[in-house]
Amino acid sequence: MALAIQTQIPYDSLNQNFKSQNSTLLASTAATFAANTRHTLNNMNEHQLTDKLDKLYLETREEYAPNPYRISGCGKCTRTLGYQHVQWPGIPLTPRAIRTFSLGQAIHDEIQGLLVAHGHASRLEEEVSISIPLLEEYEGKDTLLTGHIDGIYNAEDGDRVLEIKSSTEMGFYMFYRADKMGHMQANIDETYQCQNVAYKKALSLPGTWLYYNKNTSALLAFDADDSTDAFYFYRIRQKYTALRRFIESGVEKPPESLREFGPEKEKKYKKETGRLKLKWNCTYCAYVEDCWPNTSLEFVSGKPVHYIV
């Protein structure tokens, strides 16, 4: 059964008359608070304690060799898969990124443990595999992918592959939102869709998504849409066919033709700024500086953004 629980700030409970009569005061107060907060955070970041912690995060993190044959990465850009195959040196994770992943893992562990302890999930982190049939000149050949599932959700209507994701406030409400007609629909990136389809096919089971909002701790759960499975599985086949073609070409570096994402127009308050930026898929890719050398890195609201220069 699908479950959807959302936590929202009770804006409606605010005094609307006070807001309208004091809009200038509120805006000025909010701006002052934001400026003071940025100043305080900047000073805090210069403290030696944060420097020590950053170094500890870097020194104690376990390093893993990139592996393009993991189910969790089967929806990535094909050029990324090519970089991983040849073990091309990528950008090391920053301490902030390491903390972000650590927080996400802690959320996973807590949810998994709670569900298992009460008999609602099983087979946590079980290893599965799936053969991906290749296309065109490689028809009849395949590529083997392996991975670990988050678990099996023991739903009332039968077992389902559980996919646990954690995200920020904005990402959380982008995953499942109303369309122009007011109908709720999933809005899940291809990177995750391919991963989910591969796990479902490997186990011949339907799936359920569970999203955790890191800002508010709200939960959102819904059953995966099986109607798009054929499309995303074909996308996986395309990616690994192109990867095999690159491998057999003997070329040292993955060509630009394997790149799947391009720049997009930046918008603020629904208006274009005149600048081009890379999508999040590229910004958080370990190979972004090699793949897109003509970019500059800036931080917007604390988040990294690569702009085309």
Side-chain angles (χ1 to χ4, degrees), residues 291-306:
C291 189
W292 292 96
N294 59 328
T295 59
S296 64
L297 175 63
E298 298 179 21
F299 285 85
V300 179
S301 299
K303 294 184 178 181
V305 178
H306 280 85

Side-chain angles (χ1 to χ4, degrees), residues 241-262:
T241 297
L243 178 62
R244 177 72 65 90
R245 192 175 292 125
F246 156 66
I247 293 170
E248 295 191 357
S249 71
V251 177
E252 178 184 4
K253 178 181 177 180
E256 289 187 7
S257 59
L258 295 182
R259 199 161 55 189
E260 296 183 25
F261 302 104

Side-chain angles (χ1 to χ4, degrees), residues 262-279:
E264 62 182 2
K265 295 179 180 180
E266 181 187 49
K267 291 184 178 181
K268 290 184 178 180
Y269 308 108
K270 298 183 179 181
K271 293 184 178 180
E272 295 182 4
T273 65
R275 305 184 72 185
L276 293 176
K277 66 175 184 176
L278 297 182
K279 296 183 177 180

Side-chain angles (χ1 to χ4, degrees), residues 51-98:
D51 292 338
K52 290 179 179 178
L53 282 170
D54 282 349
K55 291 179 181 178
L56 287 173
Y57 275 106
L58 292 171
E59 292 171 357
T60 59
R61 179 179 181 270
E62 294 185 42
E63 293 289 342
Y64 298 95
N67 184 355
Y69 305 105
R70 300 291 296 175
I71 294 177
S72 59
C74 69
K76 291 181 177 180
C77 169
T78 307
R79 198 178 195 194
T80 296
L81 298 176
Y83 279 124
Q84 291 180 335
H85 177 83
V86 299
Q87 298 294 295
W88 197 270
I91 304 170
L93 287 177
T94 64
R96 180 178 180 272
I98 295 173

Side-chain angles (χ1 to χ4, degrees), residues 199-308:
Y199 280 130
K200 289 192 298 182
K201 281 189 170 293
L203 294 168
S204 299
L205 289 173
T208 291
W209 297 93
L210 176 64
Y211 282 94
Y212 184 102
N213 186 324
K214 293 178 182 177
N215 293 69
T216 66
S217 295
L219 295 174
L220 172 65
F222 52 94
D223 293 337
D225 180 9
D226 297 334
S227 67
T228 57
D229 284 6
F231 169 78
Y232 287 113
F233 190 65
Y234 187 78
R235 288 289 294 124
I236 298 173
R237 296 177 67 190
Q238 287 181 317
K239 291 172 186 287
Y240 283 93
T241 297
L243 178 62
R244 177 72 65 90
R245 192 175 292 125
F246 156 66
I247 293 170
E248 295 191 357
S249 71
V251 177
E252 178 184 4
K253 178 181 177 180
E256 289 187 7
S257 59
L258 295 182
R259 199 161 55 189
E260 296 183 25
F261 302 104
E264 62 182 2
K265 295 179 180 180
E266 181 187 49
K267 291 184 178 181
K268 290 184 178 180
Y269 308 108
K270 298 183 179 181
K271 293 184 178 180
E272 295 182 4
T273 65
R275 305 184 72 185
L276 293 176
K277 66 175 184 176
L278 297 182
K279 296 183 177 180
W280 71 268
N281 313 71
C282 296
T283 292
Y284 288 96
C285 177
Y287 311 101
V288 61
E289 292 183 355
D290 191 86
C291 189
W292 292 96
N294 59 328
T295 59
S296 64
L297 175 63
E298 298 179 21
F299 285 85
V300 179
S301 299
K303 294 184 178 181
V305 178
H306 280 85
Y307 289 98
I308 302 295

